[in-house]
Amino acid sequence: MDLKSKIREIEDFPVKGVSFKDITTLTRDKEAFHETISMMIEDLKDKEIDYVVGPEARGFLFGAAVAYGLGVGFIPVRKPGKLPGETTKYDYDLEYGSAALEIQTEAIKKGDRVAIIDDLLATAGTVLAATKLIESFGGEVVALEFVIELVDLKGRDKLKGYHVNSLVKYD
């Protein structure tokens, strides 16, 4: 299936000059959504993953479905102040601004094998923040999975040493 044909592009959103890749057209197409999740599961099935981590918010959509398919737990990483209990925070830059992510302190233990799943690999800011959080607890990031990769932004170059898989590439 041509997943790229299922993704709508919206020009000048959220700011002028950005070509936003809208995955809601993919997620509401049951065959395309199923194929997307199946492709990620296939890539991860032999990696002995303990948890899938999904960054807020679109990482929740794909990460929870993949975790279910793999039969493993799902751990959200969220914007500051959105998770109960003790959390650890990581500040980072992204394509058009800055942000921070938090994870519950007890979520990851030393030796846990983790896949991070998100909708988009652009500059790698979000996934690097999630990676740093996981590794700060002794977790091992064994795979990074994305629906979309914006190749020209060279986010993949910042992820050397990690298994990186993206399903749809835009130049």
Side-chain angles (χ1 to χ4, degrees):
M1 174 180 295
D2 177 17
L3 294 179
K4 192 178 217 178
S5 71
K6 305 296 183 180
I7 299 168
R8 177 174 54 175
E9 293 186 62
I10 301 173
E11 299 302 322
D12 297 323
F13 182 82
V15 295
K16 189 161 183 63
V18 171
S19 176
F20 186 81
K21 309 308 184 243
D22 180 14
I23 52 88
T24 63
T25 51
L26 182 145
T27 60
R28 73 175 170 239
D29 179 316
K30 65 183 176 184
E31 286 88 12
F33 186 55
H34 185 267
E35 180 69 14
T36 300
I37 300 307
S38 295
M39 291 171 74
M40 289 182 170
I41 290 169
E42 181 64 27
D43 188 58
L44 295 172
K45 70 180 183 182
D46 296 325
K47 292 188 172 40
E48 300 177 17
I49 299 209
D50 297 307
Y51 297 104
V52 169
V53 165
E56 187 169 342
R58 291 177 300 273
F60 295 1
L61 298 173
F62 298 99
V66 171
Y68 176 82
L70 290 170
V72 301
F74 175 76
I75 300 170
V77 291
R78 300 205 61 191
K79 296 172 185 167
K82 300 291 184 179
L83 290 170
E86 185 179 339
T87 60
T88 299
K89 178 178 162 185
Y90 189 86
D91 295 301
Y92 66 101
D93 294 321
L94 42 89
E95 302 86 87
Y96 36 83
S98 61
L101 288 177
E102 290 184 340
I103 192 169
Q104 290 172 320
T105 304
E106 76 281 356
I108 301 289
K109 304 285 187 266
K110 184 176 181 175
D112 286 343
R113 295 174 56 83
V114 176
I116 301 172
I117 298 181
D118 207 354
D119 69 320
L120 180 69
L121 172 57
T123 62
T126 301
V127 72
L128 280 173
T131 299
K132 298 298 183 195
L133 283 168
I134 292 160
E135 291 174 344
S136 73
F137 295 106
E140 179 185 357
V141 176
V142 296
L144 306 169
E145 297 278 331
F146 305 93
V147 178
I148 298 167
E149 180 176 354
L150 303 180
V151 177
D152 288 348
L153 294 180
K154 301 186 186 308
R156 184 179 288 262
D157 294 349
K158 297 175 187 169
L159 304 173
K160 289 186 181 358
Y162 295 101
H163 171 82
V164 179
N165 184 44
S166 59
L167 305 180
V168 177
K169 292 177 176 59
Y170 289 90
D171 293 322

